[in-house]
Amino acid sequence: MDNIAGSKSSLTWAVQLSVVGLVVLWLLPTFGLFVSSFRTVEQISSSGWWKAMFPSEQNLTLRAADPDDFRMPQGDLFVVKGNLFEDEGISEAEISVWGTSSRDVAAYTAGETADLGDGETITVQSNGAYVWSGTDDQISGRGQRVFVTATTPPEFTFANYENMLLDPNNSEGMARAFFNTLTVTIPATIIPILVAAFAAYALAWMEFPGRALLIALIVGLLVVPLQLALIPLLTLHNAIGIGKGYLGTWLAHTGFGMPLAIYLLRNYMVGLPRDIIENAKVDGATDFQIFTKIVLPLSFPALASFAIFQFLWTWNDLLVAKVFLIDATGQTTVMTNQIVELLGTRGGNWEILATAAFVSIAVPLLVFFSMQRFLVRGLLAGSVK
Amino acid sequence: MHPAFQGLITIIIGVGGCVGYFYFANQFLDKVLYPAKGPKAGRNINRANQIRPWIFLFPALFVLLLYLGYPVVETLRLSLLERVPGGGYQWVGLDNYAQMASEPKFWEAMRNNMFWLIVVPALSTAFGLLAAQLTDRIKWGNVAKSIIFMPMAISFVGASVIWKLVYDGRPIEQEQIGILNAIIVGLGGDPVTFLTIPFWNNFFLMIVLVWVQTGFAMVILSAALRGIPEETIEAAIIDGASPLQIFFKIKVPQIMPTVVVVWTTITLVVLKVFDIVFAMTNGQWETQVLANYMFDKLFRANDWGVGSASAMVIMLLVTPILIWNIHSARKEMR
């Protein structure tokens, strides 16, 4: 519509900039968490994620090597030589200032020599190399503590993911929850589609009394809040012996997803060409054959879009799983619940939280970006006339 | 047994059972009950065709009535009962509702819910409309749309974690790792603990839902904007209307029905949403909402009477939308 009657104006730049602004606002929060999940614990707590690409300044407490094992005689004194970073396993960093007392961590600059009294000295270079010297008495016991302010280069790691997904001893790991979520999601996506597709076909193409009433009922049920269902159904599940478990969860998701599924699929099926279906009937096909051989393949776009919806909704669900699935043993916990629990117990440990969140977000995002076309089509079929 | 293997078996049984039902029910109808051969073939086909819709519909109707119909009635009944110590129930009339009305937490939840119902649909729709209008006019609009739409795929819990990092605040001596506080401190202010400021923290929680829902509004409104006949816009341009006038006086009135649909859909999401409050504050610092209040009553306090009563309040709030939905569906079918 831009090229009508010269509406191309100086506004174009303003529009471009506003869209850039919106996109940044919408992307930034997720991006921040994503970056955080690849940083080490020290990095996350010492600087914001937006500084991840730059060297970061950290305050570290390091200790010189154990004098009893490493000291060497030099004249009538003893010295310990080494590198503070190598001893602590830190790969690379640059010291700007350092100190030997926690009250004054910036007493000396790199390369200076600190006098610890009675002739005991320590010299620390910017790369962490140190020389600590003194009498037999002074160079004994534990290694000298050094407080350094060091600049470490940016560092990214997969350790958080390894820890959360692959470590079988990590009780807070996401591996089990991941499989549980899959076990909930796959049947809870396929079963409603199957059931709803048959029902939608009946409502769209079969003649029977009460059809209009049923359609109105389903449209009405679209809005019933699922909170209403919790207690009655939990009692029912317990009474018929399926208690808390996958079967009950699938049934619950099937029930709650059903109105939208029937509504979307029926709207689509009604629009299929009448000729094809009537021709098949004349040729002697039963409704079951027409449905499986003609209508189902033709309805693929609608089936796909509902499948994506139901998949996202069941994968991301917390309430249904909390009520119908997770029991006291915690063996069947899903990822959303695992994350909420981590939020409670590990509120400040962003390396754990960020990684856990990203493990659970990754699959829906993948589905979203690969199937976005169908998702949009489904939304439009359901909402705009 | 490895969890993956266990999961696979459960899945095969679940899905297989469902496929089996449809296949064998139809086989039974056509081959055993009313076979389409022999002397009564014609009559049998007709009979089979009368029964078949109900075979097709049965599972759907069954779960609909069991999982959505029955609970409405049962919750209403439970809200009028009270558990007697030692087992059983007794009729208490409206006592549960009275008790609920006497609790300040309930009124806090009602007040907050009202704000949620006003702010979230309004902001989501407004941002969605803005994003739709702006992205339709530029070359990389589709990329921008994908990014704004993306939070739809993220769980409310995931979104809560994402925004908790944004809102994170630390004492002033330490380096800020939440971007908002980093900006505030950078500008010379004091760090703010966003989620614990009474009243305003509600709005910080609402932002999370607005962030999630805007993409949905944008996609639908953008389709509606494209559906506007070009003649009306051309005519307005010829008459000398400014872009703003065109937008507010020509475009918005024409897509009003879609705006209403989007608004209603988001309102429904707001009424049902519980995860965000549950994960971020759990109703502390005066952020309680109805859905979380109900969850507290049902599963923490174990007070099914009051819990059911608050569920009925949520039902009451959606009833106008329910009626309007049925009404417009019937109008459409005529």
Side-chain angles (χ1 to χ4, degrees):
Chain A
M1 260 177 263
D2 276 342
N3 42 13
I4 315 167
S7 68
K8 238 190 175 46
S9 65
S10 56
L11 273 178
T12 317
W13 272 109
V15 169
Q16 296 264 6
L17 282 179
S18 331
V19 178
V20 170
L22 273 177
V23 165
V24 168
L25 265 179
W26 254 255
L27 199 57
L28 210 61
T30 319
F31 185 70
L33 198 75
F34 182 67
V35 171
S36 295
S37 71
F38 289 102
R39 302 180 79 205
T40 62
V41 187
E42 297 83 27
Q43 284 177 322
I44 292 177
S45 56
S46 65
S47 68
W49 57 265
W50 53 93
K51 292 182 183 163
M53 286 311 291
F54 307 104
S56 66
E57 197 168 74
Q58 298 178 359
N59 291 311
L60 302 168
T61 305
L62 306 170
R63 201 179 270 281
D66 190 345
D68 296 337
D69 299 331
F70 291 98
R71 72 179 190 174
M72 287 184 296
Q74 195 175 69
D76 50 351
L77 295 175
F78 287 92
V79 293
V80 178
K81 286 183 184 175
N83 188 302
L84 289 168
F85 295 137
E86 276 166 26
D87 295 348
E88 300 276 342
I90 297 168
S91 54
E92 211 184 313
E94 198 178 321
I95 295 172
S96 52
V97 290
W98 59 282
T100 53
S101 150
S102 60
R103 270 167 294 169
D104 192 4
V105 296
Y108 311 99
T109 56
E112 272 187 321
T113 302
D115 186 355
L116 301 174
D118 297 330
E120 183 187 0
T121 60
I122 182 163
T123 310
V124 177
Q125 307 294 337
S126 65
N127 64 359
Y130 64 89
V131 181
W132 176 29
S133 76
T135 62
D136 178 28
D137 199 31
Q138 287 163 340
I139 310 297
S140 63
R142 298 192 67 190
Q144 172 67 37
R145 269 198 307 173
V146 181
F147 301 88
V148 304
T149 303
T151 315
T152 50
E155 187 189 351
F156 293 97
T157 170
F158 285 103
N160 298 331
Y161 285 93
E162 269 167 35
N163 183 28
M164 293 303 281
L165 277 175
L166 302 176
D167 184 356
N169 299 323
N170 183 4
S171 62
E172 290 169 336
M174 296 291 276
R176 177 153 207 121
F178 188 90
F179 285 117
N180 291 343
T181 310
L182 265 183
T183 312
V184 169
T185 308
I186 296 174
T189 307
I190 300 174
I191 296 173
I193 292 183
L194 259 177
V195 170
F198 276 95
Y201 175 78
L203 290 172
W205 290 107
M206 292 163 108
E207 294 292 337
F208 60 92
R211 197 170 71 155
L213 196 73
L214 276 181
I215 296 171
L217 173 84
I218 286 159
V219 172
L221 288 177
L222 270 173
V223 306
V224 169
L226 74 91
Q227 275 97 343
L228 251 66
L230 303 181
I231 285 299
L233 290 174
L234 189 60
T235 326
L236 184 79
H237 279 185
N238 284 331
I240 60 173
I242 54 178
K244 288 193 166 205
Y246 290 114
L247 184 62
T249 317
W250 297 339
L251 286 173
H253 277 306
T254 306
F256 301 142
M258 194 54 52
L260 182 69
I262 299 180
Y263 180 71
L264 283 180
L265 294 177
R266 183 194 160 269
N267 275 357
Y268 187 88
M269 287 180 187
V270 163
L272 293 175
R274 179 172 283 274
D275 302 356
I276 303 180
I277 291 158
E278 278 174 358
N279 282 347
K281 271 199 182 148
V282 170
D283 289 346
T286 66
D287 277 308
F288 187 67
Q289 288 165 328
I290 296 174
F291 175 74
T292 49
K293 303 241 165 75
I294 300 173
V295 173
L296 218 48
L298 282 179
S299 305
F300 178 74
L303 294 171
S305 75
F306 175 72
I308 302 165
F309 270 122
Q310 183 73 6
F311 174 83
L312 291 179
W313 149 240
T314 47
W315 185 277
N316 291 336
D317 158 75
L318 172 68
L319 187 56
V320 173
K322 257 191 134 35
V323 175
F324 294 108
L325 180 63
I326 298 158
D327 56 17
T329 65
Q331 286 297 301
T332 50
T333 192
V334 291
M335 285 195 286
T336 44
N337 189 62
Q338 181 93 342
I339 294 171
V340 170
E341 272 171 23
L342 289 176
L343 269 175
T345 54
R346 301 299 210 106
N349 297 48
W350 284 105
E351 76 285 356
I352 290 178
L353 280 177
T355 313
F358 251 92
V359 169
S360 89
I361 292 173
V363 174
L365 280 188
L366 207 71
V367 170
F368 173 82
F369 280 115
S370 53
M371 314 273 275
Q372 201 187 3
R373 215 157 37 98
F374 292 112
L375 188 69
V376 170
R377 201 180 292 173
L379 269 182
L380 297 181
S383 309
V384 184
K385 286 282 127 197
Chain B
M1 209 169 13
H2 192 271
F5 187 60
Q6 215 173 340
L8 198 68
I9 292 179
T10 354
I11 287 169
I12 290 170
I13 295 172
V15 176
C18 189
V19 175
Y21 161 79
F22 283 110
Y23 184 75
F24 290 112
N26 276 284
Q27 287 291 315
F28 179 73
L29 188 69
D30 289 333
K31 297 274 150 65
V32 182
L33 205 56
Y34 295 115
K37 54 181 180 245
K40 293 179 186 165
R43 204 193 64 178
N44 275 358
I45 289 176
N46 284 341
R47 283 203 181 156
N49 283 342
Q50 272 169 8
I51 294 177
R52 204 183 316 273
W54 300 104
I55 290 185
F56 277 30
L57 277 168
F58 171 72
L61 287 184
F62 180 75
V63 296
L64 272 179
L65 287 181
L66 188 65
Y67 280 82
L68 291 167
Y70 157 73
V72 176
V73 183
E74 178 67 6
T75 305
L76 178 62
R77 196 179 71 92
L78 281 175
S79 74
L80 302 172
L81 297 177
E82 191 168 84
R83 271 205 277 200
V84 182
Y89 288 92
Q90 82 183 36
W91 175 263
V92 292
L94 295 175
D95 278 11
N96 287 322
Y97 291 88
Q99 192 198 329
M100 184 171 71
S102 70
E103 281 185 32
K105 265 282 175 197
F106 170 73
W107 292 108
E108 178 193 316
M110 283 296 272
R111 182 201 69 175
N112 290 343
N113 246 86
M114 196 188 71
F115 282 120
W116 278 79
L117 285 173
I118 295 168
V119 174
V120 176
L123 278 187
S124 306
T125 314
F127 273 127
L129 194 56
L130 183 76
Q133 169 69 12
L134 293 180
T135 51
D136 271 350
R137 303 182 55 166
I138 57 175
K139 274 191 192 140
W140 53 288
N142 280 334
V143 179
K145 270 192 185 138
S146 289
I147 290 169
I148 296 173
F149 194 34
M150 179 195 71
M152 277 288 282
I154 297 175
S155 61
F156 290 131
V157 173
S160 304
V161 177
I162 288 173
W163 281 86
K164 266 208 130 157
L165 183 58
V166 173
Y167 290 144
D168 194 86
R170 298 166 140 208
I172 185 114
E173 314 87 66
Q174 292 175 32
E175 181 119 6
Q176 298 298 329
I177 63 168
I179 194 159
L180 276 182
N181 271 317
I183 294 171
I184 291 173
V185 171
L187 295 174
D190 281 334
V192 181
T193 49
F194 289 96
L195 296 178
T196 58
I197 316 166
F199 186 71
W200 294 106
N201 51 7
N202 285 302
F203 294 91
F204 298 125
L205 295 181
M206 289 174 208
I207 287 174
V208 182
L209 192 53
V210 171
W211 180 75
V212 173
Q213 291 293 325
T214 295
F216 161 78
M218 176 196 67
V219 165
I220 291 174
L221 293 173
S222 145
L225 282 176
R226 287 198 182 147
I228 295 176
E230 289 202 11
E231 295 82 14
T232 51
I233 295 160
E234 267 176 59
I237 292 172
I238 291 165
D239 288 345
S242 73
L244 273 184
Q245 281 176 321
I246 293 174
F247 183 68
F248 285 108
K249 298 209 168 134
I250 310 286
K251 287 185 175 177
V252 171
Q254 290 199 56
I255 59 164
M256 216 49 203
T258 314
V259 172
V260 173
V261 169
V262 169
W263 193 291
T264 328
T265 313
I266 298 176
T267 304
L268 284 173
V269 175
V270 171
L271 271 172
K272 297 180 193 176
V273 79
F274 122 107
D275 319 34
I276 292 178
V277 175
F278 186 76
M280 289 184 85
T281 64
N282 199 7
Q284 295 174 74
W285 308 297
E286 298 178 28
T287 53
Q288 193 66 294
V289 291
L290 274 178
N292 197 50
Y293 173 83
M294 191 214 67
F295 190 85
D296 267 356
K297 283 291 168 199
L298 285 182
F299 297 102
R300 292 226 180 81
N302 237 342
D303 188 344
W304 289 9
V306 175
S308 301
S310 53
M312 288 317 291
V313 172
I314 300 178
M315 184 69 212
L316 209 67
L317 289 172
V318 300
T319 305
I321 304 175
L322 190 148
I323 293 168
W324 179 70
N325 251 4
I326 293 180
H327 178 75
S328 52
R330 297 200 73 113
K331 210 163 58 184
E332 229 165 68
M333 270 191 287
R334 255 174 237 139

